[in-house]
Amino acid sequence: MKLRLLAGVSVLVVSAGLSACSSSGSEDGGSGDGGRTTLDVWLMRDSVSAAFQKDFEKGFEAAHPDIDVKVQIQEWDGIGGKVTAALASNDAPDVIETGNTQVAQFAQSGGLLDLSDKVDALGGKDWLKGLAEPGAYGGKQYGIPYYAANRVVIYRTDLFEKAGVDAAAIKTREQWVAATKKLNKGSQQGIYLPGQNWYTFSGFVWDEGGDLATEAGGKWKGTLDTPEALRAMAFYEKLQALGKGPKDSDEAEPPQAEVMAKGQVAQVISTPGGANVVIQNNPELKGKLGFFPIPGKTADTPGAVFTGGSDLVIPTVSKHHDAAYTFVKELTGDTWQKKLAVAMSYVPNKTTLTGAVAKDPGASAMAVGAAVGHATPNTPGWAAVEAKNPIKDYMTAVLTGGDPKREAAKASEAITTAMNSGS
């Protein structure tokens, strides 16, 4: 799943020279100049900036003169149907960027190239689990981790200082709650946490050792009614009460960055890009926002987070598999991963590359959480869960007085039904 962090990236259709592992006649495709292979690539809106794209093009043009790459920027809205249609056609692009949790849906159709034999060469042992695991389906690796993003705590440095709270000292949930209580005074909210922020809730479930659903005998079962998930909901309820966030909506209604911009919120849970939106809405807060990773149950392990981001896949019907693999290898390799992380404030695809964002406060806080990141259940059936999202309904029900065990059982049953509806 892609977390939209940035805005204003222009639509780019560019050509760059790249070399392939092989650029024989079968790789040519008939549209390149002088025998060059023409490679069509779909990247998503906000994946790259114009400056990064220019740098990327220049570097590849010098190093790989045998492939002519045409990159088209795609919109996230409606991309699932567009990719599905492309994979079923004879005219699919050669490389596609897809949200990490979408890979299983596309792999199920048989439309993606199995890249399992490339994992070692691509440095797979160091990939972020939250990108690598959803990129696999049926024991095979189809999606190659591209970049990651996850939630952190954005906080008001001035309000923390006034309350005598040291953000750097907050390492555990218990310390976090204690600090938030000190910040929750009068009209000031210690934290603004909407009742349906289910991605944050999922992190608490994983912290407790639980999950949203489990598989047994080829069938999936919702597990919000387990002791682990119930403990997670109890913690969410405690934290949510230390502010005035609505119990019946998520972070987009109203936009939580706009709420924080009004000046009475000490903390929100967001991707770091949310800080830019806060400042856009209230320039007086420039220089007054900081970041720290979501705390875990113990000081030695940060809180688990949902890892959003993207993988790169190669359609089976592509006529240029070698050239496509070269493109994927370059863009996900260490050199360009470091540059991408710095340019876009993303978390690189490998745990060994987190030092690249050490000087970026938001991205470095993300990187801490990304090391213990998770993804939603890796099955095409999860899309049916998110379509109706009984998790949100469950959270609201509990926060408005419903019995947690009874409401969790109802939500688990709804998840089970949705996930197995197509099996």
Side-chain angles (χ1 to χ4, degrees):
M1 178 171 291
K2 173 66 169 63
L3 294 176
R4 298 181 177 101
L5 302 178
L6 307 171
V9 180
S10 300
V11 174
L12 306 172
V13 180
V14 298
S15 295
L18 307 177
S19 76
C21 301
S22 167
S23 55
S24 63
S26 62
E27 282 278 321
D28 181 16
S31 56
D33 295 328
R36 298 171 73 198
T37 297
T38 297
L39 199 71
D40 292 320
V41 177
W42 285 2
L43 296 182
M44 299 308 300
R45 173 74 67 182
D46 302 342
S47 171
V48 295
S49 66
F52 176 85
Q53 183 71 48
K54 183 177 180 180
D55 188 30
F56 180 75
E57 176 184 357
K58 183 178 179 181
F60 278 126
E61 191 170 60
H64 303 287
D66 297 332
I67 306 174
D68 181 27
V69 174
K70 297 187 181 298
V71 176
Q72 298 181 34
I73 301 299
Q74 303 293 323
E75 301 295 337
W76 283 101
D77 289 343
I79 190 61
K82 188 171 184 178
V83 171
T84 298
L87 296 179
S89 74
N90 292 320
D91 192 31
D94 300 293
V95 178
I96 300 175
E97 174 191 348
T98 180
N100 58 329
T101 60
Q102 296 176 318
V103 176
Q105 174 187 352
F106 302 139
Q108 184 187 42
S109 70
L112 301 183
L113 186 67
D114 177 10
L115 298 171
S116 301
D117 63 339
K118 308 295 186 184
V119 171
D120 290 343
L122 295 173
K125 66 182 179 62
D126 296 318
W127 283 339
L128 294 177
K129 183 173 68 172
L131 292 180
E133 289 185 353
Y137 179 71
K140 298 179 179 180
Q141 193 73 37
Y142 296 95
I144 304 304
Y146 179 21
Y147 63 86
N150 50 264
R151 287 161 177 77
V152 300
V153 180
I154 301 176
Y155 72 98
R156 285 278 300 276
T157 56
D158 55 334
L159 297 183
F160 269 54
E161 183 178 356
K162 184 178 179 181
V165 175
D166 180 8
I170 301 175
K171 301 297 183 182
T172 67
R173 281 190 191 174
E174 184 177 343
Q175 293 168 341
W176 191 21
V177 169
T180 304
K181 286 180 177 178
K182 292 182 66 174
L183 292 156
N184 193 37
K185 302 293 184 182
S187 60
Q188 180 176 296
Q189 300 182 56
I191 188 169
Y192 179 83
L193 181 59
Q196 296 184 346
N197 190 330
W198 72 279
Y199 288 120
T200 296
F201 165 65
S202 297
F204 300 156
V205 174
W206 293 320
D207 278 340
E208 295 290 348
D211 211 332
L212 306 176
T214 57
E215 183 184 17
K219 296 290 184 180
W220 284 86
K221 175 177 170 48
T223 51
L224 295 183
D225 53 347
T226 61
E228 295 83 0
L230 288 168
R231 289 198 300 268
M233 189 62 222
F235 177 73
Y236 190 98
E237 187 173 14
K238 178 191 295 187
L239 188 64
Q240 201 270 340
L242 299 176
K244 302 173 182 176
K247 301 180 189 303
D248 60 352
S249 64
D250 60 22
E251 59 269 39
E253 297 180 12
Q256 65 176 7
E258 295 180 10
V259 176
M260 191 177 197
K262 294 178 181 178
Q264 297 299 313
V265 172
Q267 305 171 85
V268 294
I269 300 172
S270 170
T271 56
N276 297 329
V277 182
V278 173
I279 294 168
Q280 288 170 9
N281 282 273
N282 185 354
E284 292 183 5
L285 294 182
K286 186 175 182 179
K288 297 180 180 179
L289 298 178
F291 311 88
F292 61 86
I294 295 174
K297 294 188 70 176
T298 60
D300 58 345
T301 305
V305 293
F306 167 76
T307 302
S310 290
D311 284 10
L312 297 178
V313 299
I314 300 175
T316 305
V317 297
S318 165
K319 298 178 177 63
H320 312 126
H321 288 170
D322 288 346
Y325 170 68
T326 297
F327 179 91
V328 170
K329 184 177 182 180
E330 293 282 1
L331 191 52
T332 64
D334 291 4
T335 298
W336 289 105
Q337 278 293 300
K338 291 176 182 178
K339 292 181 179 181
L340 181 68
V342 172
M344 306 298 291
S345 293
Y346 289 151
V347 178
N349 64 359
K350 300 184 183 74
T351 57
T352 51
L353 301 179
T354 55
V357 293
K359 295 182 180 180
D360 184 322
S364 59
M366 273 201 302
V368 172
V372 290
H374 292 251
T376 49
N378 188 20
T379 171
W382 186 254
V385 176
E386 289 198 28
K388 294 185 178 180
N389 211 324
I391 305 174
K392 287 186 173 184
D393 295 336
Y394 158 62
M395 296 173 73
T396 293
V398 173
L399 294 173
T400 54
D403 177 74
K405 290 185 178 180
R406 183 175 64 249
E407 297 299 337
K410 288 169 54 178
S412 294
E413 183 178 355
I415 289 173
T416 299
T417 300
M419 294 188 76
N420 296 302
S421 60
S423 62

